[in-house]
Amino acid sequence: AQTVTQSQPEMSVQEAETVTLSCTYDTSESDYYLFWYKQPPSRQMILVIRQEAYKQQNATENRFSVNFQKAAKSFSLKISDSQLGDAAMYFCAYRSSNFGNEKLTFGTGTRLTIIP
Amino acid sequence: EPEVTQTPSHQVTQMGQEVILRCVPISNHLYFYWYRQILGQKVEFLVSFYNNEISEKSEIFDDQFSVERPDGSNFTLKIRSTKLEDSAMYFCAALRGGHTGELFFGEGSRLTVL
């Protein structure tokens, strides 16, 4: 079974600075997807960024980028120019690419606080 | 308009009562999921549903839980006899674009069991 580990329960960053959230995972599969979801106080799960394991290039979405290290099974999220609206819980998640096994496996989350 | 709408947003019920949580996707989603998040804890997979039947379920999804899509639109999660530990946020999610597509979450239904 796949597992996802987020070792930082809480992080804080000064507004406009850069912060990196860590995530490691364990799997025996060679092809899969990795995600970062944001959960603001409203509790809705919002997709931040997605990475396909077969792609060597790291995904980027505006101020959000990932450092995907497949051999190390590491998938960190970098948030540049942090804004107050970035304050939320961030969950790393894994999904198999196998048909019939599309469920997400989540990490325990990292609570990000933005300091004005 | 959100891809997935959930109702109710919050339900308070007495222990032992039946609860039905509803999920309505708006696009041509094929795969549906229920996840649960107990306050302060991680999001846990409950069940996946494809082609009108359960495709996978977790150990949490015991006989007290059931899912169905009775009218081809609404996707429901029923808890037959709620327990205190069922208090949680329940998220519906739908996968659009085949099994490699994007997963969209609803805004969640908060269930409080007294």
Side-chain angles (χ1 to χ4, degrees):
Chain A
Q2 294 82 21
T3 59
V4 178
T5 302
Q6 293 179 250
S7 59
Q8 305 155 315
E10 296 185 357
M11 292 281 285
S12 60
V13 63
Q14 206 80 30
E15 191 177 2
E17 296 296 308
T18 295
V19 65
T20 298
L21 308 184
S22 301
C23 173
T24 58
Y25 59 94
D26 189 28
T27 183
S28 58
E29 297 177 333
S30 60
D31 197 16
Y32 46 86
Y33 303 93
L34 296 165
F35 305 86
W36 279 97
Y37 281 88
K38 170 184 177 181
Q39 187 181 41
S42 66
R43 304 294 298 275
Q44 186 173 8
M45 300 292 288
I46 302 167
L47 178 65
V48 174
I49 201 164
R50 160 189 168 134
Q51 175 81 42
E52 287 88 351
Y54 66 86
K55 290 186 178 178
Q56 291 187 337
Q57 187 172 10
N58 289 323
T60 63
E61 286 289 340
N62 300 313
R63 299 182 295 108
F64 298 87
S65 62
V66 298
N67 184 6
F68 173 49
Q69 301 289 328
K70 191 173 183 180
K73 294 180 182 174
S74 169
F75 183 61
S76 61
L77 174 69
K78 185 171 83 171
I79 306 174
S80 304
D81 185 26
S82 298
Q83 300 175 359
L84 294 178
D86 294 334
M89 281 290 286
Y90 286 81
F91 291 96
C92 179
Y94 172 102
R95 192 177 103 200
S96 172
S97 65
N98 292 331
F99 179 76
N101 189 19
E102 301 88 4
K103 71 177 185 293
L104 287 172
T105 300
F106 287 89
T108 51
T110 297
R111 181 176 302 281
L112 179 64
T113 300
I114 310 297
I115 303 166
Chain B
E1 189 176 8
E3 291 271 342
V4 178
T5 303
Q6 288 186 242
T7 57
S9 57
H10 189 195
Q11 181 160 354
V12 181
T13 189
Q14 295 290 326
M15 191 169 58
Q17 295 296 304
E18 177 182 281
V19 162
I20 297 176
L21 306 179
R22 291 183 172 80
C23 171
V24 182
I26 64 167
S27 296
N28 55 339
H29 299 112
L30 297 177
Y31 302 80
F32 304 91
Y33 308 82
W34 282 102
Y35 290 84
R36 179 182 80 176
Q37 186 183 32
I38 295 171
L39 186 63
Q41 299 186 22
K42 70 175 179 180
V43 181
E44 300 173 293
F45 168 75
L46 289 178
V47 65
S48 59
F49 191 83
Y50 170 70
N51 203 24
N52 289 321
E53 62 183 27
I54 291 174
S55 55
E56 187 178 1
K57 60 183 180 180
S58 72
E59 58 194 24
I60 302 170
F61 194 87
D62 60 21
D63 292 343
Q64 293 287 1
F65 293 89
S66 63
V67 290
E68 61 178 4
R69 199 178 180 211
D71 56 6
S73 176
N74 291 313
F75 177 51
T76 63
L77 174 68
K78 182 191 292 185
I79 308 174
R80 289 190 183 82
S81 178
T82 50
K83 303 186 286 289
L84 294 177
E85 53 265 38
D86 293 327
S87 294
M89 196 78 167
Y90 288 82
F91 291 100
C92 173
L95 190 64
R96 177 162 59 92
H99 75 283
T100 61
E102 295 297 333
L103 191 66
F104 293 91
F105 281 84
E107 295 184 346
S109 294
R110 183 187 301 275
L111 175 64
T112 301
V113 182
L114 302 176

